Protein backbone atom coordinates (compact mmCIF):
# COMPACT_ATOMS: atom_id res chain seq x y z
CA UNK A 1 0.00 0.00 0.00
CA UNK A 2 3.03 2.25 -0.26
CA UNK A 3 2.16 5.86 -1.15
CA UNK A 4 -1.54 5.04 -1.53
CA UNK A 5 -3.69 7.77 0.00
CA UNK A 6 -6.52 6.67 2.25
CA UNK A 7 -8.85 9.04 4.07
CA UNK A 8 -10.55 7.57 7.13
CA UNK A 9 -13.76 9.28 8.21
CA UNK A 10 -15.13 7.99 11.49
CA UNK A 11 -17.71 8.68 14.18
CA UNK A 12 -15.24 7.63 16.87
CA UNK A 13 -11.50 6.95 17.14
CA UNK A 14 -9.32 5.80 20.04
CA UNK A 15 -7.47 7.23 21.94
CA UNK A 16 -9.80 10.24 21.82
CA UNK A 17 -12.95 8.33 22.81
CA UNK A 18 -13.68 5.13 24.72
CA UNK A 19 -12.91 1.78 23.15
CA UNK A 20 -15.63 0.08 21.14
CA UNK A 21 -15.76 -1.74 17.80
CA UNK A 22 -15.91 1.44 15.72
CA UNK A 23 -13.30 3.46 17.63
CA UNK A 24 -10.80 0.58 17.75
CA UNK A 25 -11.16 -0.31 14.06
CA UNK A 26 -10.86 3.38 13.17
CA UNK A 27 -7.43 3.29 14.80
CA UNK A 28 -6.23 -0.22 13.86
CA UNK A 29 -6.90 -0.02 10.11
CA UNK A 30 -5.20 3.37 9.54
CA UNK A 31 -2.24 2.28 11.69
CA UNK A 32 -1.87 -0.87 9.59
CA UNK A 33 -1.84 1.11 6.33
CA UNK A 34 0.50 3.69 7.84
CA UNK A 35 2.90 0.87 8.82
CA UNK A 36 2.82 -0.32 5.19
CA UNK A 37 3.93 3.08 3.92
CA UNK A 38 0.51 4.37 2.91
CA UNK A 39 -0.41 8.03 3.36
CA UNK A 40 -3.37 8.42 5.66
CA UNK A 41 -5.52 11.11 7.24
CA UNK A 42 -8.25 10.57 9.81
CA UNK A 43 -11.28 12.82 10.34
CA UNK A 44 -13.70 12.67 13.26
CA UNK A 45 -16.07 15.07 15.06
CA UNK A 46 -14.63 17.14 17.93
CA UNK A 47 -17.13 16.14 20.62
CA UNK A 48 -17.12 18.12 23.85
CA UNK A 49 -16.00 15.09 25.87
CA UNK A 50 -12.64 14.96 24.08
CA UNK A 51 -9.97 16.39 26.35
CA UNK A 52 -8.25 19.00 24.17
CA UNK A 53 -5.39 19.67 26.56
CA UNK A 54 -4.51 16.04 27.18
CA UNK A 55 -4.62 15.16 23.48
CA UNK A 56 -2.99 18.45 22.41
CA UNK A 57 -5.61 19.54 19.90
CA UNK A 58 -5.02 22.88 18.27
CA UNK A 59 -7.02 24.90 15.80
CA UNK A 60 -5.78 25.15 12.21
CA UNK A 61 -6.60 28.75 11.38
CA UNK A 62 -5.98 28.43 7.63
CA UNK A 63 -8.58 25.63 7.40
CA UNK A 64 -11.16 27.12 9.77
CA UNK A 65 -13.49 30.02 9.14
CA UNK A 66 -15.77 28.93 6.33
CA UNK A 67 -19.50 28.54 6.85
CA UNK A 68 -21.38 25.39 5.92
CA UNK A 69 -25.09 25.51 5.16
CA UNK A 70 -27.21 22.96 7.01
CA UNK A 71 -30.94 23.12 6.33
CA UNK A 72 -30.63 26.77 5.23
CA UNK A 73 -28.61 27.85 8.29
CA UNK A 74 -25.01 29.06 8.14
CA UNK A 75 -22.83 27.08 10.54
CA UNK A 76 -19.17 28.08 11.13
CA UNK A 77 -16.62 25.32 10.59
CA UNK A 78 -13.69 25.02 12.99
CA UNK A 79 -10.87 22.57 12.20
CA UNK A 80 -8.59 21.23 14.91
CA UNK A 81 -5.75 18.77 14.55
CA UNK A 82 -3.76 16.42 16.77
CA UNK A 83 -1.29 13.57 16.34
CA UNK A 84 -1.74 10.10 17.74
CA UNK A 85 1.26 9.66 20.05
CA UNK A 86 4.08 7.46 18.73
CA UNK A 87 2.27 6.80 15.44
CA UNK A 88 2.86 10.00 13.45
CA UNK A 89 -0.79 9.86 12.38
CA UNK A 90 -2.64 13.15 12.01
CA UNK A 91 -6.24 13.36 13.11
CA UNK A 92 -8.44 16.25 11.96
CA UNK A 93 -11.41 17.25 14.09
CA UNK A 94 -14.56 18.81 12.65
CA UNK A 95 -15.90 21.28 15.20
CA UNK A 96 -18.76 23.70 15.62
CA UNK A 97 -19.93 25.16 18.95
CA UNK A 98 -23.61 24.60 18.20
CA UNK A 99 -23.21 20.92 17.27
CA UNK A 100 -20.23 19.58 19.17
CA UNK A 101 -19.71 21.61 22.34
CA UNK A 102 -21.89 19.36 24.57
CA UNK A 103 -20.06 16.94 26.84
CA UNK A 104 -21.13 13.69 25.20
CA UNK A 105 -21.13 12.05 21.79
CA UNK A 106 -24.58 11.02 20.54
CA UNK A 107 -26.99 11.16 23.48
CA UNK A 108 -27.63 13.04 26.73
CA UNK A 109 -27.05 11.75 30.27
CA UNK A 110 -30.40 9.91 30.14
CA UNK A 111 -29.38 8.06 26.99
CA UNK A 112 -31.75 10.08 24.80
CA UNK A 113 -30.37 10.75 21.30
CA UNK A 114 -29.67 14.41 20.60
CA UNK A 115 -32.49 15.79 18.43
CA UNK A 116 -30.04 17.42 16.02
CA UNK A 117 -27.90 14.30 15.36
CA UNK A 118 -29.09 14.38 11.74
CA UNK A 119 -27.82 17.93 11.26
CA UNK A 120 -24.56 17.06 13.00
CA UNK A 121 -24.07 14.23 10.49
CA UNK A 122 -24.75 16.57 7.55
CA UNK A 123 -22.32 19.15 8.96
CA UNK A 124 -19.68 16.48 9.54
CA UNK A 125 -19.93 15.09 5.99
CA UNK A 126 -19.67 18.53 4.39
CA UNK A 127 -16.94 19.64 6.79
CA UNK A 128 -14.74 16.68 5.90
CA UNK A 129 -15.06 17.19 2.14
CA UNK A 130 -14.55 20.96 2.29
CA UNK A 131 -11.44 20.53 4.44
CA UNK A 132 -9.95 17.86 2.15
CA UNK A 133 -10.56 20.24 -0.77
CA UNK A 134 -8.68 23.00 1.07
CA UNK A 135 -5.82 20.61 1.81
CA UNK A 136 -5.80 19.73 -1.91
CA UNK A 137 -5.09 16.15 -0.87
CA UNK A 138 -6.56 13.59 -3.25
CA UNK A 139 -7.48 10.28 -1.58
CA UNK A 140 -7.42 7.04 -3.57
CA UNK A 141 -9.92 5.61 -1.10
CA UNK A 142 -12.27 7.17 1.44
CA UNK A 143 -13.11 4.64 4.16
CA UNK A 144 -16.17 5.45 6.29
CA UNK A 145 -16.72 4.08 9.82
CA UNK A 146 -19.72 4.61 12.09
CA UNK A 147 -23.19 6.06 11.53
CA UNK A 148 -22.24 9.71 12.19
CA UNK A 149 -20.09 9.43 9.03
CA UNK A 150 -22.72 7.56 7.03
CA UNK A 151 -23.91 10.56 5.00
CA UNK A 152 -20.48 11.07 3.46
CA UNK A 153 -20.96 8.52 0.61
CA UNK A 154 -24.33 10.13 -0.24
CA UNK A 155 -22.88 13.64 -0.36
CA UNK A 156 -19.87 12.47 -2.40
CA UNK A 157 -22.09 10.86 -5.05
CA UNK A 158 -24.55 13.76 -5.32
CA UNK A 159 -23.60 17.08 -3.72
CA UNK A 160 -19.90 16.77 -4.66
CA UNK A 161 -20.28 14.65 -7.80
CA UNK A 162 -18.71 17.31 -10.04
CA UNK A 163 -15.59 17.82 -7.89
CA UNK A 164 -12.69 16.91 -10.19
CA UNK A 165 -10.49 16.32 -7.13
CA UNK A 166 -12.43 13.15 -6.29
CA UNK A 167 -13.10 11.82 -9.80
CA UNK A 168 -10.99 8.69 -9.20
CA UNK A 169 -11.69 8.28 -5.47
CA UNK A 170 -13.35 5.04 -4.32
CA UNK A 171 -15.64 4.97 -1.27
CA UNK A 172 -15.65 2.05 1.18
CA UNK A 173 -18.13 1.80 4.06
CA UNK A 174 -17.51 -0.41 7.07
CA UNK A 175 -20.71 -1.79 8.56
CA UNK A 176 -20.95 -2.50 12.29
CA UNK A 177 -23.60 -3.89 14.63
CA UNK A 178 -26.48 -1.63 15.58
CA UNK A 179 -25.23 1.30 17.66
CA UNK A 180 -28.41 3.22 18.46
CA UNK A 181 -32.09 2.45 18.93
CA UNK A 182 -34.97 4.54 17.68
CA UNK A 183 -34.89 7.17 14.94
CA UNK A 184 -33.10 10.40 14.19
CA UNK A 185 -35.22 13.47 13.41
CA UNK A 186 -38.14 12.61 11.10
CA UNK A 187 -37.36 15.72 9.02
CA UNK A 188 -33.90 14.36 8.22
CA UNK A 189 -34.75 13.39 4.64
CA UNK A 190 -35.99 16.95 3.93
CA UNK A 191 -32.75 18.41 5.28
CA UNK A 192 -30.72 16.13 3.01
CA UNK A 193 -32.99 16.91 0.03
CA UNK A 194 -32.42 20.62 0.72
CA UNK A 195 -28.93 19.99 -0.73
CA UNK A 196 -30.47 18.92 -4.06
CA UNK A 197 -30.11 15.22 -3.30
CA UNK A 198 -32.95 13.37 -5.07
CA UNK A 199 -35.62 11.74 -2.93
CA UNK A 200 -35.26 8.30 -4.49
CA UNK A 201 -31.52 8.31 -3.73
CA UNK A 202 -32.19 8.56 -0.01
CA UNK A 203 -35.71 7.14 0.39
CA UNK A 204 -34.39 4.93 3.22
CA UNK A 205 -34.10 8.10 5.31
CA UNK A 206 -37.88 8.46 5.46
CA UNK A 207 -37.46 6.26 8.54
CA UNK A 208 -34.03 7.44 9.78
CA UNK A 209 -33.08 4.52 12.02
CA UNK A 210 -29.62 2.95 12.28
CA UNK A 211 -30.18 0.26 9.67
CA UNK A 212 -31.65 2.63 7.09
CA UNK A 213 -28.78 5.10 7.49
CA UNK A 214 -26.33 2.29 6.82
CA UNK A 215 -28.35 1.02 3.84
CA UNK A 216 -28.26 4.49 2.28
CA UNK A 217 -24.49 4.63 2.84
CA UNK A 218 -23.97 1.18 1.31
CA UNK A 219 -26.08 2.15 -1.71
CA UNK A 220 -23.70 5.08 -2.40
CA UNK A 221 -20.43 3.23 -1.71
CA UNK A 222 -18.17 1.47 -4.17
CA UNK A 223 -17.42 -1.36 -1.76
CA UNK A 224 -18.40 -2.55 1.71
CA UNK A 225 -16.64 -4.13 4.68
CA UNK A 226 -18.58 -6.20 7.19
CA UNK A 227 -16.60 -5.02 10.21
CA UNK A 228 -18.50 -6.75 12.99
CA UNK A 229 -19.80 -10.20 13.84
CA UNK A 230 -22.96 -8.50 15.09
CA UNK A 231 -24.30 -7.10 11.81
CA UNK A 232 -28.01 -7.95 11.55
CA UNK A 233 -29.06 -10.63 9.05
CA UNK A 234 -31.25 -8.11 7.19
CA UNK A 235 -28.32 -5.72 6.75
CA UNK A 236 -26.02 -8.57 5.72
CA UNK A 237 -28.57 -9.70 3.10
CA UNK A 238 -28.88 -6.13 1.84
CA UNK A 239 -25.10 -5.92 1.39
CA UNK A 240 -24.89 -9.32 -0.31
CA UNK A 241 -27.69 -8.43 -2.74
CA UNK A 242 -26.34 -4.93 -3.47
CA UNK A 243 -23.92 -6.22 -6.10
CA UNK A 244 -21.10 -4.25 -4.44
CA UNK A 245 -17.75 -5.92 -3.75
CA UNK A 246 -17.72 -6.72 -0.04
CA UNK A 247 -15.26 -8.08 2.49
CA UNK A 248 -16.77 -10.58 4.94
CA UNK A 249 -15.93 -10.22 8.62
CA UNK A 250 -12.24 -10.90 9.27
CA UNK A 251 -10.87 -11.79 12.69
CA UNK A 252 -8.09 -9.76 14.33
CA UNK A 253 -5.49 -12.34 13.24
CA UNK A 254 -6.50 -12.16 9.59
CA UNK A 255 -7.61 -8.59 9.16
CA UNK A 256 -4.26 -7.13 7.98
CA UNK A 257 -4.08 -9.45 4.99
CA UNK A 258 -7.82 -9.26 4.29
CA UNK A 259 -8.03 -5.46 4.33
CA UNK A 260 -4.81 -4.98 2.35
CA UNK A 261 -5.95 -7.36 -0.39
CA UNK A 262 -9.40 -5.76 -0.45
CA UNK A 263 -7.95 -2.27 -0.87
CA UNK A 264 -5.60 -3.48 -3.60
CA UNK A 265 -8.46 -5.10 -5.50
CA UNK A 266 -10.27 -1.76 -5.52
CA UNK A 267 -7.28 0.15 -6.80
CA UNK A 268 -6.23 -2.29 -9.53
Amino acid sequence: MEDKRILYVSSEVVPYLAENEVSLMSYDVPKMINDQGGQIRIFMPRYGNINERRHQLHEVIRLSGMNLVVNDLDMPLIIKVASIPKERIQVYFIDNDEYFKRKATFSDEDGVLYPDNDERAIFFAKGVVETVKKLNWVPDIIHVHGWMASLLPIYMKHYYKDEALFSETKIVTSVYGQSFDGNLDNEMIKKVEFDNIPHEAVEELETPNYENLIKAAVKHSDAVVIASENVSSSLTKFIESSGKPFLPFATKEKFTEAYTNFYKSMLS
Side-chain angles (χ1 to χ4, degrees), residues 92-156:
Y92 290 81
F93 296 84
I94 300 292
D95 198 3
N96 168 274
D97 286 349
E98 184 77 25
Y99 289 140
F100 295 112
K101 195 85 166 168
R102 60 203 78 159
K103 292 288 181 198
T105 47
F106 311 125
S107 48
D108 64 22
E109 59 270 20
D110 299 319
V112 177
L113 287 170
Y114 289 127
D116 62 352
N117 273 337
D118 59 331
E119 294 182 15
R120 298 167 91 207
I122 293 169
F123 184 86
F124 181 50
K126 287 184 170 182
V128 169
V129 181
E130 294 296 347
T131 305
V132 173
K133 280 165 56 181
K134 267 198 170 178
L135 289 167
N136 203 25
W137 189 78
V138 184
D140 296 299
I141 292 173
I142 298 175
H143 194 158
V144 173
H145 297 260
W147 68 265
M148 183 64 86
S150 64
L151 294 183
L152 191 105
I154 297 164
Y155 274 78
M156 287 293 292

Side-chain angles (χ1 to χ4, degrees), residues 10-217:
S10 180
S11 299
E12 306 165 79
V13 183
V14 296
Y16 304 104
L17 292 168
E19 292 187 1
N20 60 36
E21 267 190 327
V22 176
S23 64
L24 283 165
M25 246 340 175
S26 302
Y27 169 80
D28 289 341
V29 183
K31 180 186 182 315
M32 174 196 83
I33 296 301
N34 198 49
D35 291 346
Q36 293 180 27
Q39 296 182 40
I40 61 155
R41 300 261 170 94
I42 302 175
F43 277 76
M44 68 178 290
R46 207 295 293 180
Y47 307 103
N49 55 344
I50 293 172
N51 188 317
E52 292 205 10
R53 186 172 299 147
R54 184 183 339 133
H55 295 297
Q56 298 182 337
L57 272 68
H58 58 271
E59 186 176 345
V60 187
I61 303 297
R62 71 185 176 89
L63 297 175
S64 297
M66 74 176 99
N67 280 355
L68 305 178
V69 177
V70 178
N71 200 29
D72 211 15
L73 285 174
D74 273 0
M75 291 295 186
L77 173 64
I78 301 163
I79 302 295
K80 292 175 178 165
V81 72
S83 290
I84 296 179
K86 301 199 219 40
E87 295 300 338
R88 298 202 311 280
I89 293 175
Q90 276 207 316
V91 180
Y92 290 81
F93 296 84
I94 300 292
D95 198 3
N96 168 274
D97 286 349
E98 184 77 25
Y99 289 140
F100 295 112
K101 195 85 166 168
R102 60 203 78 159
K103 292 288 181 198
T105 47
F106 311 125
S107 48
D108 64 22
E109 59 270 20
D110 299 319
V112 177
L113 287 170
Y114 289 127
D116 62 352
N117 273 337
D118 59 331
E119 294 182 15
R120 298 167 91 207
I122 293 169
F123 184 86
F124 181 50
K126 287 184 170 182
V128 169
V129 181
E130 294 296 347
T131 305
V132 173
K133 280 165 56 181
K134 267 198 170 178
L135 289 167
N136 203 25
W137 189 78
V138 184
D140 296 299
I141 292 173
I142 298 175
H143 194 158
V144 173
H145 297 260
W147 68 265
M148 183 64 86
S150 64
L151 294 183
L152 191 105
I154 297 164
Y155 274 78
M156 287 293 292
K157 298 290 187 193
H158 293 285
Y159 192 77
Y160 292 107
K161 68 179 187 292
D162 298 325
E163 286 289 344
L165 196 69
F166 304 113
S167 60
E168 303 292 317
T169 301
K170 297 281 195 290
I171 301 171
V172 182
T173 292
S174 274
V175 177
Y176 296 86
Q178 181 150 335
S179 60
F180 72 85
D181 295 318
N183 293 351
L184 301 189
D185 186 65
N186 286 326
E187 299 288 301
M188 178 176 190
I189 190 164
K190 291 182 183 165
K191 297 173 192 177
V192 173
E193 287 173 3
F194 176 83
D195 289 320
N196 294 320
I197 293 171
H199 182 87
E200 61 276 11
V202 287
E203 59 193 358
E204 293 83 3
L205 301 182
E206 284 180 19
T207 305
N209 58 26
Y210 175 77
E211 197 148 304
N212 284 342
L213 250 71
I214 301 306
K215 283 180 176 176

